[in-house]
Amino acid sequence: MSSGQAAIISFSAARVVFGAGASDETGEHLRQLGVTRALVVCDRFVTASGLGERLRTALREAGVDSVFYDRIVGEPSESSVHEAIEAAREGYDGFVGVGGGSALDTAKLCALFATHEGELLDYVNAPIGAGRPVPGPVLPVVALPTTAGTGSEVTTVAIVDFPRLGTKTGISHQHLRPSLAIVDPVLTVSCPPGVTASTGLDALLHALEAYTVSSYETRPRLPLAERPPYQGANPFSDPFCEHAIELVGRHLRAAVSDGDDVEARTGMALASTVAGIAFSGAGVHVPHALAYPIASLKHEWKPRGYGGAALVPHGFAVAVTAPAAFRFAADALPERCAAAARLLDGGSDLAASLGRLLEDVGAPTRLSEIGYGEADLPTLVRGALDQRRLLVGSPKQVGAAELEALLRESL
């Protein structure tokens, strides 16, 4: 690439308020954003716990009226998002997402459709949806994560499961990034070990994939209006990735084994947000592309810590093929893979370091553990191939044959 056509990157990040007790300031922040009537998107655990009442009081004292929409159950699906959007169009001028990635992503979509016309599939990434860009800014969203992993509080993405299509995908646009992320590590203390493990692995894979995604220097130069949110590994995202990898290596095992370890919870909350900032500008690649059909096609498995719900949590869906994916990528990026292994646990083989971590936190290490077999491979490959916006970032050429090989290796 000639110097006249050198790649240009755009870096931006959400405003973040971080620290124990930060959630007590939610009402004041909403008032500063000009919000007078907020829809609080959460699950019933939030409203049944003291957190819901504390937030309601904080908003009321700041002069912000609030209505709680607490119907978030499991991961966002096409039907659950449509239901939330209907509620969002009832005269709100701001939204608060409280919970895991499901609540935060749903709050983003509520803000989108309370601001702009259209249907869900109008904006969903192509080829599954029409891939229309979000027309302009959306109403304010304040995000309060109660898990440490998705990074949704700082990202430009909202993910939706489309069971009728056999895959998960989403909407990705700069206008979907929340106006403010309030990251209070104390809110994550109640997470069960299984949820802590799954979301923590999601944070790790955000960082690892953003660190090993194809470089921004290999991407075509595009005008500002056409520049995608995922621009490739770059000098801005790399330090965030490295810090997040090191934090997960230091704190995830402790957070899973002792949920009351506030130091570990704080480290994982920071890792999640830092990794979210990194991948929202750099992107992810093969493990996430494989994860969407893996999470969407099987709804019988019941993971520990999810209240008996039948689902494949996103973090586990991403992590289960990650060792195979990084064995595949290792010869393309040997220095980066080795550096990531050193940061994670002092090792030299990233796939081996990942395998040790999965076993230590009780995550599934084979697709067969969550119900997949040889007969499922063609459908999984088709679902992964639909994730073109992710596969373009693979550090090595990847197509149907390569994806099938990675899945077979992970059985």
Side-chain angles (χ1 to χ4, degrees):
M1 184 180 294
S2 68
S3 60
Q5 288 297 309
I8 296 175
I9 56 174
S10 301
F11 178 80
S12 58
R15 291 176 55 222
V16 178
V17 177
F18 185 95
S23 57
D24 295 337
E25 301 176 349
T26 303
E28 184 178 352
H29 287 296
L30 284 167
R31 185 180 62 206
Q32 291 179 359
L33 288 167
V35 176
T36 61
R37 186 169 187 258
L39 182 68
V40 180
V41 181
C42 61
D43 60 29
R44 289 182 180 172
F45 177 81
V46 170
T47 51
S49 70
L51 174 58
E53 190 54 39
R54 290 202 310 273
L55 286 173
R56 195 186 305 273
T57 299
L59 269 60
R60 183 174 60 248
E61 290 177 349
V64 179
D65 292 334
S66 63
V67 173
F68 277 66
Y69 179 88
D70 63 355
R71 299 180 188 176
I72 304 301
V73 179
E75 298 189 350
S77 66
E78 185 177 18
S79 60
S80 74
V81 168
H82 279 307
E83 183 180 330
I85 289 170
E86 288 302 310
R89 288 171 165 162
E90 295 181 0
Y92 302 99
D93 58 5
F95 298 87
V96 182
V98 187
S102 299
L104 305 191
D105 284 2
T106 302
K108 294 178 187 180
L109 296 173
C110 285
L112 168 60
F113 289 101
T115 311
H116 302 291
E117 298 296 325
E119 300 295 330
L120 189 58
L121 284 172
D122 292 339
Y123 299 105
V124 163
N125 300 301
I128 297 169
R132 279 176 45 191
V134 176
V138 304
L139 289 165
V141 176
V142 172
L144 285 78
T146 61
T147 64
T150 70
S152 183
E153 66 272 12
V154 293
T155 70
T156 61
V157 183
I159 300 300
V160 182
D161 187 9
F162 289 86
R164 66 186 174 94
L165 303 177
T167 194
K168 291 170 65 177
T169 185
I171 300 173
S172 178
H173 196 278
Q174 296 289 350
H175 292 317
L176 291 188
R177 180 181 281 115
S179 306
L180 179 68
I182 300 178
V183 184
D184 185 342
V186 175
L187 301 187
T188 70
V189 169
S190 61
C191 279
V195 178
T196 300
S198 176
T199 56
L201 290 170
D202 191 24
L204 174 61
L205 269 298
H206 287 154
L208 289 174
E209 291 176 59
Y211 197 52
T212 55
V213 74
S214 61
S215 169
Y216 80 100
E217 295 175 312
T218 68
R219 306 292 181 92
R221 179 168 176 169
L222 295 173
L224 178 59
E226 299 176 21
R227 203 168 297 155
Y230 291 172
Q231 300 167 76
N234 62 76
F236 296 100
S237 61
D238 284 350
F240 286 96
C241 294
E242 292 166 351
H243 189 39
I245 295 165
E246 189 273 333
L247 284 167
V248 174
R250 194 192 323 163
H251 294 296
L252 180 56
R253 289 175 174 87
V256 171
S257 64
D258 180 7
D260 292 324
D261 185 332
V262 176
E263 179 183 357
R265 292 293 194 182
T266 300
M268 285 306 303
L270 183 58
S272 174
T273 300
V274 168
I277 292 170
F279 95 85
S280 66
V284 289
H285 55 89
V286 174
H288 268 79
L290 291 169
Y292 291 134
I294 288 171
S296 183
L297 293 174
K298 294 288 183 181
H299 294 277
E300 296 83 22
W301 187 56
K302 294 183 179 181
R304 290 183 297 111
Y306 282 80
L311 79 161
V312 181
H314 174 67
F316 289 158
V318 177
V320 72
T321 64
F326 283 105
R327 275 190 291 271
F328 170 74
D331 60 350
L333 296 166
E335 293 182 0
R336 288 209 166 213
C337 288
R342 287 193 299 272
L343 289 165
L344 186 57
D345 69 356
S348 59
D349 181 332
L350 180 55
S353 295
L354 277 168
R356 288 191 289 270
L357 181 60
L358 265 61
E359 290 185 359
D360 288 350
V361 300
T365 60
R366 314 299 303 177
L367 283 167
S368 56
E369 293 178 51
I370 54 181
Y372 284 102
E374 184 86 16
D376 298 307
L377 297 187
T379 305
L380 290 173
V381 170
R382 286 194 297 272
L385 287 172
D386 282 340
Q387 309 300 325
R388 293 190 311 211
R389 68 185 180 94
L390 307 185
L391 293 176
V392 72
S394 174
K396 288 175 68 173
Q397 187 69 32
V398 62
E402 290 80 9
L403 293 173
E404 183 176 340
L406 292 173
L407 288 162
R408 180 170 283 106
E409 183 180 344
S410 302
L411 281 175

